[in-house]
């Protein structure tokens, strides 16, 4: 009995590893649907609306990839994943790509055998506390009870931060953002910590967002980006350059408003022409239609449009562009050239 | 002359393996075994090949790497620089704590409810029936979450103990504080402590044993045997002379006099909880049980108790009514009939399914992460698995741990079952 249980688990693992090796792009085309891993619900990044339609900043990336590969931004099967299940889901082939506030780290890239295709949001870990606590710096949090999402890099950053500052705390590990929210609001923990963008998104969903403050300390670098499995470079290229196309489109002034005109015929800007497929054969090189990038950008607009629509300053989440501006505006977004 | 010849020596022929009923079953069992072994060997090699193709290898080296995360409720010393093995060990201890506490309370509640459900009092019987049906028909995860939600929603915040004119003060002569975060109560301390011995030096599995605690256990065991010897002596005297020496008072003295003497020698006092005067951590010292532990413990206990109650009821109903009537005709009161006649016989029916319930409770404790209690599934199967990405290794270890715990519970309970079962001579 003991032996059979043991080996049964090995079999499952063995089969899972076997499934991961095939060409993902062919699988997606054959299936006619992109399986995209997202969060279980984080307002602004990935959350279903009242009609059950997924929307958000990360969801926008999924839709752009689906539009580029399949020509239909709605041909996406969204798979909600928790911090714990996301990597297994990707490694086992259950999802084709993961767009879920996932921090690009050395060990995830190298040891877990994933391929981060770029960064779609430059983030850092912050703290949110109730205003009535009267705390103005994270260094005053000695003895605090801290709610934290388990299975994330934030857990390790938190331990490092408190150790470096030689103050004590009590971690309360929580599986998902949705579970953490009531615990924090009920006062079961004094502090909620996660990526600053996630905190802003969470606070936006509160009844009285004004009662809570984000502390000024950002204790880590959290470059969040979409990722795919290691070893399937063609598929990695598709996702990487779809993301780059969104970023480049903003830099080049291609928006969902003018994209129809710009792609009708070759214009004056050769890079725009190459991007939109009216010149050159970039689409053929990547194994997609010539107008792949045009479809990707039309899906939800360029990077800047996605940002403003989902998490920008006019949305409840209310994030400023900051580091996530184009390099021409002093931000970190910099797409390699399309040529 | 004898005409007798030796009986013909029966020579074994290969065809007998199939044709001879003495060997046939062995032949087929052997073939089945070979096929089974081949099947598992194929699965194993399949796994190894696939792992190699994916560039992964099975290695347990990560266990000695620093874990990097903290654990809230813990019995032993630990910090984020300790190894993953240490973190797993603490998780294992947390699992064992919840399993032991849960089995203990579930048994007490279960036996009480099971007996009361058979009560002649209509109201009591119906209330117990409702309890059983409600608790065993809703998934235990829901109970864990409901109870946790009730705790966080209804109990006062820790900060309500803080300030010049606090809303709440410690209860029970300053020894107890019940809050949203958890429960603080006084910790037994010894001013003339015997100290403690550290086992395993600085290894990941190190732990300290308090000698005070060992001394108390030793005295209690001595009292137990002393009390038993006195009862035996009293029985003997009663049989010989017909006069029973006083047992209850003497036994009480045997239990408590040495214990109190020891506590005085050790300088026993209660410490904490205390107010720190700080807003963020207003209460400190004493023993702190987080609500996650209490909610999990409580939920697992009442859920499993509903099943145990049914086992107990089945066990009691399996004893013929004649036993009760016979005992009653001897003049025994109902309480004594239950304790002296019915339950000892019913135990034979109750124990085997009770083992299953203990195993269920232990395995259900892996739902702990739902309320943020760091058991072995939360540490080894949760954070360690996630941070190292060593899913296969972690899951294998997890299975091994649960298997070991479960088999140990089975072994202990089976031994107990053998002790109480009907002795056939």
């Amino acid at each position: 009995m003991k032996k059979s249980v043991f080996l049964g688990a090995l079999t499952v693992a063995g089969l899972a590893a076997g499934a991961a090796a095939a060409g993902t792009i062919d699988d997606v085309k054959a299936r006619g649907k992109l399986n995209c891993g997202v969060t279980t619900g984080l307002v602004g990044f990935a959350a279903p609306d009242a009609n059950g339609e997924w929307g958000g900043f990360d969801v926008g990336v999924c839709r752009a990839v689906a539009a580029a590969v399949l020509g239909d931004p709605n041909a996406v099967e969204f798979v909600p994943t928790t911090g714990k299940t996301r990597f297994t889901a990707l490694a086992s082939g259950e999802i084709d790509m993961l767009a879920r506030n996932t921090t690009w780290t050395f060990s995830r890239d190298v040891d877990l055998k994933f391929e981060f295709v770029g960064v779609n949001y430059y983030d850092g870990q912050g703290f949110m506390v109730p205003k009535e606590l009267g705390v103005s710096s994270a260094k005053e949090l000695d003895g605090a009870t801290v709610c934290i999402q388990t299975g994330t890099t934030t857990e390790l950053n938190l331990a490092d931060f408190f150790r470096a500052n030689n103050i004590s705390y009590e971690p309360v590990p929580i599986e998902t953002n949705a579970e953490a929210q009531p615990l924090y609001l009920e006062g079961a923990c004094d502090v909620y910590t996660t990526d600053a963008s996630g905190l802003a998104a969470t606070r936006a969903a509160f009844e009285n967002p004004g009662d809570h403050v984000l502390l000024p300390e950002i204790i880590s670098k959290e470059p969040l980006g979409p990722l795919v499995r290691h070893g399937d470079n063609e598929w990695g290229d598709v996702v990487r350059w779809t993301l780059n196309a969104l970023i480049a489109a903003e830099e080049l002034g291609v928006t969902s408003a003018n994209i129809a005109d710009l792609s009708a015929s070759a214009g004056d800007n050769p890079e725009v022409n190459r991007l939109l497929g009216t010149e050159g054969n970039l689409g053929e090189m990547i194994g997609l239609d010539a107008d792949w990038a045009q479809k990707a950008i039309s899906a939800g607009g360029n990077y800047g449009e996605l940002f403003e629509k989902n998490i920008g300053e006019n949305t409840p989440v209310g994030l400023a562009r900051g580091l996530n501006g184009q390099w021409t505006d002093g931000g970190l977004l910099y797409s390699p050239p399309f040529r | 002359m004898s005409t007798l010849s030796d009986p013909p020596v029966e020579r074994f022929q290969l065809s007998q393996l199939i044709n001879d009923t003495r060997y046939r079953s062995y032949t087929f069992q052997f073939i089945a075994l070979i096929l089974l072994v081949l099947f598992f060997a194929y699965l194993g090699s399949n796994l190894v090949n696939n792992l190699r193709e994916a560039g992964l290898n099975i290695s347990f080296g990560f266990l000695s790497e620093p874990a990097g995360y903290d654990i809230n409720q813990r019995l032993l010393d630990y910090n984020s620089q300790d190894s993953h093995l240490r973190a797993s060990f603490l998780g294992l201890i947390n699992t064992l704590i919840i399993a032991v506490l849960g089995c203990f309370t579930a048994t007490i509640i279960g036996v009480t409810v099971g007996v009361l459900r058979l009560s002649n009092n209509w109201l009591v019987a119906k209330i117990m029936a409702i309890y059983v049906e409600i608790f065993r028909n809703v998934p235990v995860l829901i109970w864990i979450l409901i109870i946790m939600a009730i705790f966080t929603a209804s109990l006062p915040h820790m900060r309500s103990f803080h300030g010049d004119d606090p809303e709440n003060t410690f209860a029970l002569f300053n020894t107890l504080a019940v809050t949203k975060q958890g429960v603080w109560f006084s910790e037994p301390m010894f001013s003339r402590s015997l100290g403690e011995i550290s086992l395993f030096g600085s290894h990941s599995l190190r732990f300290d044993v308090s000698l005070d605690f060992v001394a108390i256990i030793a005295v209690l065991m001595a009292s137990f045997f002393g009390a038993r010897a006195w009862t035996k002596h009293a029985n003997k005297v009663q049989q010989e002379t017909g006069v029973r020496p006083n047992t209850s008072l003497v036994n009480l003295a045997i239990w408590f006099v040495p214990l109190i003497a020891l506590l005085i020698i050790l300088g026993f006092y209660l410490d904490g909880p205390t107010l720190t005067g700080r807003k963020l951590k207003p209460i400190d010292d004493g023993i702190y049980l987080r609500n996650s532990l209490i909610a999990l413990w409580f939920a697992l206990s009442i859920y499993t108790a509903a099943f145990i109650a049914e086992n107990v009821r089945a066990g009691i109903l399996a004893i013929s009514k004649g036993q009760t009537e016979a005992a009653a005709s001897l003049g025994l009161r109902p309480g004594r009939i239950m304790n002296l006649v019915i339950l000892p016989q019913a135990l034979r029916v109750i124990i085997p399914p009770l083992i299953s319930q203990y195993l269920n409770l232990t395995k259900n404790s892996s739902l702990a992460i739902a309320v943020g209690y760091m058991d072995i599934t939360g540490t080894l199967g949760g954070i360690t698995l996630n941070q190292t990405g060593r899913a296969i290794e972690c899951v294998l270890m997890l299975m091994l741990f649960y298997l070991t715990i479960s088999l140990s519970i089975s072994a202990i309970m089976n031994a107990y079952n053998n002790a109480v079962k009907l002795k056939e001579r």
Side-chain angles (χ1 to χ4, degrees):
Chain A
M1 182 58 205
K2 183 173 167 182
K3 196 172 174 192
S4 63
V5 170
F6 177 84
L7 287 161
L10 293 185
T11 331
V12 173
L15 293 175
T24 314
I25 190 159
D26 298 329
D27 289 351
V28 173
K29 281 180 177 163
R31 202 188 304 129
K33 257 195 171 196
L34 171 75
N35 290 338
C36 193
V38 291
T39 69
T40 49
L42 181 62
V43 174
F45 286 88
D49 64 12
N51 304 321
E53 278 288 304
W54 283 84
F57 189 61
D58 285 335
V59 166
V61 177
C62 298
R63 291 203 189 280
V65 173
V69 178
L70 303 166
D72 178 7
N74 291 320
V76 189
E77 177 84 37
F78 291 100
V79 180
T81 55
T82 66
K84 254 168 111 169
T85 60
R86 56 183 164 180
F87 295 126
T88 325
L90 183 59
S92 66
E94 185 191 346
I95 54 178
D96 304 312
M97 60 176 284
L98 181 67
R100 190 207 173 276
N101 304 72
T102 301
T103 307
W104 187 350
T105 67
F106 180 92
S107 63
R108 283 174 180 176
D109 199 332
V110 175
D111 194 35
L112 297 191
K113 310 281 181 211
F114 293 128
E115 196 79 31
F116 283 82
V117 300
V119 175
N120 71 339
Y121 192 90
Y122 288 94
D123 210 341
Q125 184 176 347
F127 296 97
M128 175 163 62
V129 295
K131 217 172 217 166
E132 52 152 341
L133 209 56
V135 171
S136 59
S137 156
K139 289 181 181 154
E140 297 166 21
L141 290 177
D142 190 11
T145 320
V146 184
C147 272
I148 180 164
Q149 273 186 61
T150 185
T152 63
T153 47
T154 48
E155 226 157 22
L156 307 185
N157 298 331
L158 186 69
D160 283 352
F161 175 79
F162 278 86
R163 186 162 62 93
N165 288 292
N166 202 15
I167 49 181
S168 69
Y169 74 108
E170 199 190 316
V172 181
I174 308 292
E175 192 100 7
T176 66
N177 195 48
E179 285 172 25
Q181 227 164 290
L183 279 182
Y184 170 74
L185 284 176
E186 292 277 5
C189 39
D190 304 315
V191 188
Y192 183 36
T193 181
T194 184
D195 295 341
S197 63
L199 287 180
T202 307
R203 187 172 64 162
F206 286 173
E207 213 169 308
N208 301 312
D211 293 348
H212 304 271
V213 286
L214 303 186
L215 297 180
E217 280 89 352
I218 297 292
I219 63 167
S220 67
K221 285 193 290 190
E222 307 284 341
L224 311 179
L227 57 155
V228 296
R229 279 181 296 278
H230 210 80
D232 189 350
N233 294 355
E234 283 74 22
W235 177 243
D237 287 343
V238 168
V239 182
R240 174 178 300 113
W241 286 95
T242 305
L243 177 63
N244 284 337
L246 298 179
I247 296 172
E250 189 192 14
E251 187 191 340
L252 299 170
V254 179
T255 66
S256 49
N258 64 13
I259 191 163
D261 295 339
L262 288 171
S263 50
S265 60
D268 308 332
N269 187 336
E271 180 141 21
V272 172
N273 293 345
R274 283 194 296 271
L275 175 66
L276 299 179
T278 51
E279 197 182 305
N281 60 346
L282 295 185
E284 194 185 313
M285 290 182 202
I286 202 168
L288 298 171
D289 298 339
D291 59 351
W292 64 279
Q294 182 203 329
K295 288 187 226 154
I297 298 162
S298 310
N302 63 32
Y303 180 91
E305 288 176 272
L306 279 175
F307 195 103
E308 288 312 322
K309 195 163 52 188
N310 294 305
I311 51 176
E313 299 196 71
N314 297 323
T315 65
V317 181
L319 292 169
R321 284 298 285 269
L323 289 176
N324 296 293
Q326 291 287 337
W327 64 285
T328 46
D329 302 331
L332 291 175
L333 291 182
Y334 185 104
S335 160
F338 277 76
R339 69 164 63 248
Chain B
M1 285 291 288
S2 163
T3 55
L4 285 174
S5 62
D6 290 336
V9 177
E10 204 175 306
R11 294 202 44 201
F12 183 79
Q13 288 169 317
L14 269 182
S15 61
Q16 275 179 289
L17 284 177
I18 297 292
N19 298 332
D20 191 325
T21 48
R22 282 175 298 173
Y23 301 113
R24 193 189 288 149
S25 66
Y26 290 112
T27 315
F28 284 116
Q29 285 179 35
F30 186 70
I31 293 172
L33 181 71
I34 297 269
L35 288 178
L36 198 68
V37 168
L38 283 178
F39 177 64
F40 284 124
Y42 165 72
L43 292 181
S45 75
N46 190 31
L47 169 81
V48 172
N49 285 337
N50 280 329
L51 283 178
R52 197 171 44 225
E53 265 169 38
L56 299 170
N57 58 331
I58 299 244
S59 146
F60 288 91
F62 68 94
L63 284 174
S64 54
E65 308 286 329
Y69 59 89
D70 286 292
I71 297 177
N72 45 31
Q73 182 96 56
R74 55 178 191 256
L75 202 62
L76 306 177
D77 68 297
Y78 171 85
N79 68 55
S80 60
Q81 289 311 293
D82 276 315
S83 66
H84 281 294
L85 184 61
R86 178 85 180 154
S88 311
F89 181 56
L90 265 89
L92 178 67
I93 288 180
N94 278 352
T95 295
L96 291 176
I97 290 175
I98 205 77
V100 170
L101 288 176
C103 290
F104 183 71
T105 31
T107 311
I108 292 178
I109 302 174
V111 171
T112 315
V113 171
V115 171
L116 288 184
R117 199 176 168 184
L118 293 169
S119 162
N120 291 327
N121 184 324
W122 184 87
L123 187 66
V124 169
K126 286 297 169 251
I127 289 175
M128 292 308 149
I130 292 170
Y131 163 82
V132 167
E133 295 309 333
I134 287 182
F135 281 94
R136 70 172 182 173
N137 289 318
V138 174
V140 65
L141 178 62
I142 312 278
W143 282 120
I144 296 174
L145 292 174
I146 290 176
I147 290 170
M148 186 66 180
I150 292 174
F151 278 168
T152 33
S154 64
L155 293 176
H157 197 285
M158 172 155 83
R159 276 199 287 283
S160 66
F161 288 81
H162 168 79
D164 298 328
D165 184 22
E167 289 166 49
N168 288 296
T169 48
F170 295 154
L172 279 179
F173 309 106
N174 262 348
T175 58
L176 182 72
V178 181
T179 73
K180 239 183 230 305
Q181 284 74 22
V183 174
W184 275 266
F185 52 88
S186 298
E187 186 181 6
M189 302 284 271
F190 304 97
S191 56
R192 289 180 289 273
S193 172
L194 298 173
E196 47 194 27
I197 42 171
S198 304
L199 296 176
F200 297 116
S202 60
H203 189 264
S204 290
L205 301 181
R206 67 185 178 273
F207 60 92
D208 298 333
V209 179
S210 159
L211 288 176
D212 307 317
F213 184 67
V214 174
I216 291 173
I217 296 286
V219 166
L220 284 179
M221 293 223 339
S223 300
F224 172 75
F225 286 113
R228 225 165 68 155
W230 179 254
T231 309
K232 217 168 157 186
H233 169 74
N235 288 344
K236 203 174 143 207
V237 172
Q238 187 179 18
Q239 298 227 324
E240 282 167 3
T241 65
V243 183
R244 187 172 176 80
N246 189 332
T247 50
S248 51
L249 264 183
V250 176
N251 276 347
L252 210 64
I254 292 177
W255 273 108
F256 284 99
V257 171
L259 184 66
I260 291 170
L262 178 72
L263 292 180
I264 290 171
I265 291 168
L266 291 175
F268 173 82
Y269 67 99
L270 286 173
D271 187 37
T274 52
L275 287 172
T276 59
R278 294 181 46 230
K279 206 169 181 183
L280 261 177
K281 194 175 182 175
I283 307 172
D284 210 349
D285 296 331
I287 295 177
Y288 174 38
L289 288 189
R290 293 182 44 77
N291 272 347
S292 51
L293 166 64
I294 299 175
L296 184 70
W297 171 18
F298 193 50
L300 287 175
S301 301
I302 54 173
Y303 175 79
T304 314
F307 290 90
I308 293 179
E310 288 298 272
N311 292 343
V312 170
R313 190 166 70 106
I316 293 172
L317 289 179
I319 307 304
S320 102
K321 187 124 180 74
Q323 295 280 329
T324 316
E325 289 165 355
S329 67
L330 287 175
L332 288 179
R333 278 172 280 120
R336 307 205 82 183
I337 295 178
M338 184 54 75
N339 285 333
L340 296 176
V341 179
I342 308 296
L343 274 184
Q345 298 186 72
L347 274 182
R348 290 169 204 145
V349 183
I350 296 171
I351 301 262
L354 189 65
I355 302 176
S356 302
Q357 295 309 333
Y358 284 177
L359 298 181
N360 279 345
L361 189 145
T362 309
K363 287 179 291 178
N364 284 341
S365 74
S366 61
L367 295 168
I369 194 64
V371 285
Y373 180 71
M374 300 293 277
D375 69 337
I376 183 115
T377 314
T379 55
L380 177 68
I383 308 180
T384 293
L385 187 153
N386 248 289
Q387 304 297 0
T388 61
R390 297 278 173 190
I392 297 176
E393 292 89 335
C394 287
V395 170
L396 284 181
M397 283 180 66
L398 210 53
M399 283 163 52
L400 191 69
F401 282 136
Y402 277 111
L403 197 68
T404 314
I405 299 174
S406 294
L407 289 179
S408 312
I409 295 176
S410 274
I412 295 171
M413 292 303 291
N414 279 328
Y416 180 60
N417 191 35
N418 283 336
V420 298
K421 79 176 177 194
L422 195 60
K423 307 281 190 304
E424 292 184 13
R425 296 186 175 89

